[in-house]
């Protein structure tokens, strides 16, 4: 059976790696192209020329400005939603209300208002649509090998998770998802956090703090600790798993992509999975930008010049693996690891951290709020944001 793939939101360009330039639909499309019997049939974007550029790049036959018309006329089985976060909910709820596809794969973060996160999932379930979110890092070999080490008892029982990221929402959503992955989706009991936000900091139009320190605890007793922004360099690793008998580190500042130590090792032991935590093969590690802008050109160059093996540029990214898991779940009538029920657990911790800052105290879960605490604190003046950053 062939899955027909549609896209809502194509972005303006696949070549601009700055914070407002990621055209994630291009990355999703490359993931679908790698899978046998996936046909890219349609795309929709309110800026028609963006959709036309995308369609030309991937030979997509049908272009729309209205995604509902796309659903009616092109009848995709799987839809990738790659619009900005503040309209994720509107589009996903709209697709659920309209019906049609078997699955919707939405970019992260889930939504900018906490209640919308659950509404999206419940609406899709009612419409018999599988809803997943692109928390692709848990598909990365480095992160999965770290999980294997943990499960195999290399560091004993897990006691604490530590990580650093740019912010809690746009970047941190991946890290909270990995935290849930390493704790086998164990529910969180409470969250305590403080944030700093004096310089305006928008990612894709949405406020993100300048700096945060967050502490949360799982029902299993495992603690989570995170630092973001200006304080993130204090962690010393992208991700750290601390067990009763040792430690696993991913992306250590002074070390390899993956290493561990315990009572039986003499210092750190390196674990080589053939790529970095970002998913770059060693062949292109020193120029990781390859994946974001010039991959296609380099692949073409290898056809004519002795500069490398073309297969080095066909190696699957984390997003490729995430897309494959979504399609596999559809074909096997199974639940993907990237399901909305997994995503909402990690997203809840983000909103709870902001709510902790708003309350200036610890927040018990489940979270009972009806807004975005950070956005509200900016709007009502409790956070004195300086748009000029002075």
């Amino acid at each position: 059976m062939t899955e027909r793939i549609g896209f809502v939101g194509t972005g303006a360009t696949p070549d601009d790696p700055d914070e407002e330039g990621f055209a994630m639909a291009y990355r999703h499309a490359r993931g679908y192209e790698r899978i046998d019997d996936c046909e890219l049939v349609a795309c929709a974007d309110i800026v028609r020329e963006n959709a036309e550029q995308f369609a030309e790049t991937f030979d997509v036959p049908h272009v729309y400005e209205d995604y509902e018309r796309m659903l009616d006329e092109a009848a995709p089985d799987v839809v990738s939603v790659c619009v900005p976060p503040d309209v994720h909910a509107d589009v996903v709820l709209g697709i659920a209300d309209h019906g049609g596809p078997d699955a919707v794969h939405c970019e992260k973060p889930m939504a900018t208002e906490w209640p919308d996160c659950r509404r999206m999932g419940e609406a899709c379930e009612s419409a018999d649509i599988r809803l997943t979110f692109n928390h692709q890092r848990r598909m990365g070999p480095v992160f999965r090998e770290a999980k294997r080490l943990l499960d195999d008892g290399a560091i004993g029982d897990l006691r604490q998770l530590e990580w650093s990221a740019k912010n809690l929402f746009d970047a941190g959503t991946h890290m909270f998802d990995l935290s849930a992955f390493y704790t086998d989706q164990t529910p969180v009991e409470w969250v305590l956090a403080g944030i700093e936000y004096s310089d305006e900091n928008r990612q894709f139009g949405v406020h993100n703090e300048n700096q945060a320190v967050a502490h949360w605890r799982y029902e299993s007793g495992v603690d989570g600790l995170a630092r973001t922004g200006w304080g993130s360099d204090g962690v010393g690793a992208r991700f750290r798993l601390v067990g009763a008998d040792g430690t696993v580190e991913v992306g250590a500042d002074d070390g390899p992509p993956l290493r561990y130590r315990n009572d039986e090792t003499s210092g750190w032991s390196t674990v080589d999975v053939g790529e970095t935590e970002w998913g770059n093969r060693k062949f292109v590690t020193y120029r990781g930008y390859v994946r974001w802008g010039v991959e296609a050109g380099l692949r073409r160059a290898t056809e004519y010049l002795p500069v490398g093996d073309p297969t080095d540029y066909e190696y699957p990214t984390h997003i490729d693996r995430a897309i494959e898991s979504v399609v596999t779940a559809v074909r096997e009538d199974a639940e993907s690891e990237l399901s909305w029920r997994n995503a909402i657990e990690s997203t809840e911790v983000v909103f709870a951290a902001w709510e902790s800052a708003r309350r200036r105290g610890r927040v018990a879960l489940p979270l009972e709020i009806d807004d975005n605490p950070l956005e509200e604190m900016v709007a009502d003046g409790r956070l004195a944001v300086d748009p000029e950053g002075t």
Side-chain angles (χ1 to χ4, degrees):
M1 178 179 176
T2 297
E3 272 68 41
R4 296 167 58 82
I5 312 300
F7 301 83
V8 180
T10 60
T13 172
D15 300 320
D16 185 356
D18 68 29
E19 287 300 333
E20 300 300 327
F22 287 139
M24 294 306 297
Y26 285 78
R27 293 158 179 80
H28 285 221
R30 291 180 185 123
Y32 291 114
E33 281 191 323
R34 295 175 58 87
I35 303 171
D36 291 340
D37 297 324
C38 275
E39 180 184 1
L40 279 56
V41 298
C43 61
D45 196 295
I46 58 174
V47 181
R48 187 174 183 84
E49 55 262 40
N50 289 348
E52 290 174 344
Q53 177 185 354
F54 178 85
E56 182 179 355
T57 301
F58 294 102
D59 197 23
V60 176
H62 302 294
V63 174
Y64 300 88
E65 295 174 43
D66 181 350
Y67 72 83
E68 291 182 335
R69 184 180 172 194
M70 180 189 78
L71 296 175
D72 285 332
E73 296 182 3
D77 301 304
V78 180
V79 176
S80 267
V81 174
C82 301
V83 296
D86 61 343
V87 288
H88 281 177
D90 288 344
V91 172
V92 171
L93 289 169
I95 294 173
D97 183 62
H98 188 280
D102 296 321
V104 170
H105 186 53
C106 185
E107 260 306 317
K108 58 80 190 170
M110 290 186 76
T112 55
E113 300 281 335
W114 169 240
D116 285 340
C117 299
R118 186 163 295 279
R119 288 192 195 111
M120 294 159 71
E122 292 174 347
C124 284
E125 283 197 352
S126 296
D128 197 24
I129 296 172
R130 288 179 176 82
L131 176 61
T132 51
F133 288 87
N134 201 39
H135 286 132
Q136 74 271 13
R137 291 191 195 175
R138 69 160 63 197
M139 299 297 172
V142 169
F143 294 106
R144 296 186 86 80
E145 181 65 12
K147 181 68 160 65
R148 186 195 66 78
L149 289 169
L150 175 64
D151 291 345
D152 286 353
I155 60 171
D157 292 337
L158 183 62
R159 298 287 177 82
Q160 186 163 287
L161 301 156
E162 302 171 8
W163 52 260
S164 62
K166 187 183 301 182
N167 49 54
L168 294 174
F169 187 61
D170 182 67
T173 184
H174 284 300
M175 310 306 276
F176 282 119
D177 179 70
L178 284 168
S179 299
F181 173 56
Y182 289 128
T183 54
D184 298 319
Q185 303 296 147
T186 301
V188 172
E189 287 187 337
W190 53 259
V191 182
L192 178 65
I195 65 172
E196 199 285 332
Y197 191 28
S198 57
D199 296 346
E200 186 172 61
N201 178 25
R202 290 179 180 267
Q203 303 281 310
F204 303 102
V206 180
H207 288 292
N208 282 263
E209 79 285 342
N210 301 138
Q211 181 179 12
V213 178
H215 178 198
W216 63 100
R217 178 164 295 169
Y218 295 91
E219 290 182 358
S220 60
V222 174
D223 283 306
L225 291 172
R227 297 184 186 183
T228 75
W230 298 331
S232 61
D233 56 357
V235 175
R238 185 89 44 206
F239 211 107
R240 181 181 293 126
L241 304 171
V242 181
D245 303 322
T247 303
V248 174
E249 288 190 343
V250 176
D253 292 346
D254 62 346
L258 179 63
R259 66 184 185 182
Y260 76 99
R261 63 183 178 187
N262 57 30
D263 294 339
E264 298 179 0
T265 62
S266 176
W268 290 104
S269 295
T270 297
V271 182
D272 187 359
V273 300
E275 63 177 60
T276 73
E277 69 270 25
W278 298 111
N280 296 322
R281 292 193 77 179
K282 289 185 174 181
F283 180 80
V284 295
T285 295
Y286 73 98
R287 47 182 180 180
Y289 176 77
V290 161
R291 294 203 179 278
W292 298 108
V294 297
E295 181 182 19
L298 286 174
R299 187 186 298 116
R300 183 179 296 273
T302 62
E303 297 174 5
Y304 304 102
L305 302 172
V307 295
D309 184 342
T311 60
D312 282 313
Y313 305 103
E314 297 172 1
Y315 190 71
T317 66
H318 295 348
I319 292 176
D320 293 336
R321 296 181 178 107
I323 294 296
E324 183 177 3
S325 79
V326 170
V327 174
T328 298
V330 171
R331 291 176 173 176
E332 296 180 355
D333 192 23
E335 183 165 303
S336 169
E337 280 188 56
L338 305 178
S339 73
W340 78 271
R341 291 194 175 276
N342 283 353
I344 201 170
E345 290 184 17
S346 51
T347 303
E348 185 177 25
V349 186
V350 178
F351 283 96
W354 287 343
E355 178 63 5
S356 174
R358 179 163 65 177
R359 294 185 196 178
R360 300 183 181 181
R362 197 167 74 181
V363 173
L365 272 56
L367 185 61
E368 297 180 359
I369 60 172
D370 59 4
D371 61 1
N372 178 320
L374 179 58
E375 297 274 345
E376 288 302 306
M377 284 189 286
V378 172
D380 66 20
R382 272 180 282 180
L383 290 176
V385 178
D386 178 3
E388 302 299 325
T390 57

